[in-house]
Amino acid sequence: MARNKQIDLDNHLFECLERLNDDSLTEEELEREVKRSRAVASLAAQINQSRANSLRAAVFMDQAADAHPSLPEGFR
């Protein structure tokens, strides 16, 4: 079971944004935060794409189950 929820991802993204807006960061610290934020954003995009795919699959399965009650093994 997944321990993280969408709200956790949202919170991480906003934390990255807050760190990037921190005027007290040195140039080196800001550079490190930019790299970190890019990595977090890349992972977040993958997570969101995966969730979108799961949602599309669930919608498809719901519609397909009505039209085809005996779906192939990989689709049950």
Side-chain angles (χ1 to χ4, degrees), residues 2 20 22 25 29 34 40 51 60 67 69 72 76:
L20 289 171
D22 185 350
L25 294 178
E29 290 170 329
V34 167
V40 170
R51 289 181 181 200
F60 171 79
R76 287 187 226 154

Side-chain angles (χ1 to χ4, degrees), residues 37-53:
S37 293
R38 284 182 180 146
V40 170
S42 178
L43 289 169
Q46 292 298 314
I47 291 168
N48 284 333
Q49 183 62 47
S50 176
R51 289 181 181 200
N53 288 340

Side-chain angles (χ1 to χ4, degrees), residues 21-71:
N21 284 324
D22 185 350
D23 292 334
S24 69
L25 294 178
T26 65
E27 190 172 325
E28 183 180 299
E29 290 170 329
L30 180 58
E31 198 172 302
R32 187 173 49 233
E33 286 302 325
V34 167
K35 288 179 182 177
R36 179 182 174 171
S37 293
R38 284 182 180 146
V40 170
S42 178
L43 289 169
Q46 292 298 314
I47 291 168
N48 284 333
Q49 183 62 47
S50 176
R51 289 181 181 200
N53 288 340
S54 295
L55 180 58
R56 282 192 291 274
V59 169
F60 171 79
M61 292 300 296
D62 186 52
Q63 293 169 350
D66 291 340
H68 306 284
S70 58
L71 292 169

